[in-house]
Amino acid sequence: MNGGIRTSASGMKAQQLMVDTIANNLANVNTTGFKRSRVSFEDVLYNTIQGAQTVDAGGERQTLAPLQIGQGVRLAAINRLHTQGAPEQTGRPLDLAVEGDGFFQVQRADGATAYTRDGSFTISDSGQLVTNGGYKVLPGVTVPPDSQNLTISASGIVTVTDTNAQQVEIGRLELARFVNPNGLASLGENLYQETAASGEAMTGAPQEQGMGRILQGMLESSNVEIVQEMTDMIAAQRAYEINAKAIQTGESMMQVTGDLIR
């Protein structure tokens, strides 16, 4: 196969990955707490036609750069951008947003801990604070059945009004943060899992130890910017078309060469 065709094919594959990533970003433009992804590429190992040469130019010795031809492009990384999404007011007491660093901690069905920026919580039949998927919010808050006016402060303290009209503290939420949040693995359902790349979770109360604060009655919106995604998609489409055109040109050249040989 012509080397140029192989190179252009790698370019088409790379731009397809770019479009796939952008499509996922756009699909989640209204997903609570969603973090957009960005694709990074790198050039492939070069074919050295001629190494560096030293020549005599007018009595002075000059070293010329080697002659190399690249062999295309490949995926280097898909980075998740953990920038803050805009808080949207809902007025619902169990809707929580984190302003600043930190993730809510939830307990999955297998007992493992997962992490999320989606604070759209609810109360289970047993009175526990859980996610929409039924996962328990850690470290665990149980709301008494006869209580009213649930309030969650910026520092995570949960209080309710009991039957005697007294304010009672029933628990405190904790957040977790990571040295490298981009290293977290996505699990779906707006959940992330700790990995060796993310480092171990550092837990603490909101507004302490570098943690963000909690906003009650609000949800963090997706950080996807539609205009930016559409611009990137147009650029990826144009690059795909150009690489396809290069493949067609390479095929035409091979056809001409074949005709000459015959």
Side-chain angles (χ1 to χ4, degrees), residues 101-102 154-157 172-177 202-214:
D101 201 3
S155 59
I157 297 175
R172 187 175 189 181
L173 297 178
E174 289 185 355
L175 299 178
R177 62 188 182 93
M202 297 172 285
T203 60
Q207 294 188 307
E208 297 179 5
Q209 304 175 20
M211 303 293 180
R213 66 171 181 156
I214 291 180

Side-chain angles (χ1 to χ4, degrees), residues 116-144:
T116 183
R117 294 280 294 191
D118 181 1
S120 51
F121 300 138
T122 187
I123 303 296
S124 69
D125 56 351
S126 60
Q128 289 189 328
L129 188 66
V130 297
T131 68
N132 288 327
Y135 302 127
K136 175 183 175 182
V137 179
L138 300 176
V141 174
T142 302
V143 180

Side-chain angles (χ1 to χ4, degrees), residues 248-259:
Q248 292 175 357
T249 301
E251 289 179 341
S252 297
M253 293 172 66
M254 291 177 65
Q255 181 66 44
V256 171
T257 303
D259 292 343

Side-chain angles (χ1 to χ4, degrees), residues 9 30 34 67 94 125 130 194 223:
N30 291 319
F34 178 79
L67 302 180
L94 294 177
D125 56 351
V130 297
E194 175 186 311
N223 67 353

